[in-house]
Amino acid sequence: MHNTCTCGAWPLHPVLVTPSTVRDVRDVNLLSIWGSALETVRTSDEWIFVGYSLTGEDVSIRSLLLRAYLGWRGGAGAPEVRAYLFKSVLAAGPTPEEERYRALFPNIEIQWGGIDAHIEAFRSFGP
């Protein structure tokens, strides 16, 4: 059952963990969420980021992603990583967002455009 906790509790409700410089990731209420997120990402073949700039201040998320990337499927290969980011006019060189993503994921595919471009790209995944 997809909406069940590893402890058997259900139904689960969405929880948004926003970027923060003051959150303690050792908070007992977040430990299970962080552990499940790490394992889910570590074992996923495809990672898709939509509209997330991968801020430098969000050290906890960056750390989790790096651990999952380096430990992906036991360290054999790497997942397919794509980011759909908004930029109305592309700069001459890499943007700060692109540099942050490429520092963690060297083979990332970055696609630029507004929300309409993101929706068009996702239409190819299903009916």
Side-chain angles (χ1 to χ4, degrees):
M1 185 180 252
H2 292 288
N3 197 15
T4 304
C5 178
T6 55
C7 70
W10 68 277
L12 299 179
H13 301 284
V15 175
L16 181 62
V17 181
T18 60
S20 172
T21 57
V22 295
R23 179 188 313 105
D24 184 355
V25 295
R26 296 168 298 183
D27 181 313
V28 69
N29 296 315
L30 291 176
L31 283 176
S32 178
I33 293 170
W34 288 109
S36 294
L38 174 63
E39 186 60 14
T40 298
V41 174
R42 189 188 67 76
T43 58
S44 296
D45 292 329
E46 183 177 32
W47 301 1
I48 299 173
F49 297 89
V50 178
Y52 179 54
S53 63
L54 196 64
T55 62
E57 295 79 20
D58 204 356
V59 176
S60 301
I61 295 292
R62 292 166 64 98
S63 174
L64 180 140
L65 291 171
L66 184 59
R67 288 174 49 210
Y69 189 77
L70 295 176
W72 184 77
R73 303 239 184 249
E80 181 180 336
V81 183
R82 289 196 312 263
Y84 295 88
L85 305 173
F86 178 77
K87 188 74 171 178
S88 58
V89 178
L90 291 178
T95 66
E97 295 91 345
E98 184 175 356
E99 289 177 345
R100 288 192 294 268
Y101 271 104
R102 292 206 187 281
L104 290 179
F105 316 117
N107 296 323
I108 189 170
E109 176 188 332
I110 296 178
Q111 296 188 13
W112 298 97
I115 191 68
D116 292 336
H118 304 316
I119 291 170
E120 287 301 317
F122 284 116
R123 283 191 180 151
S124 66
F125 291 118

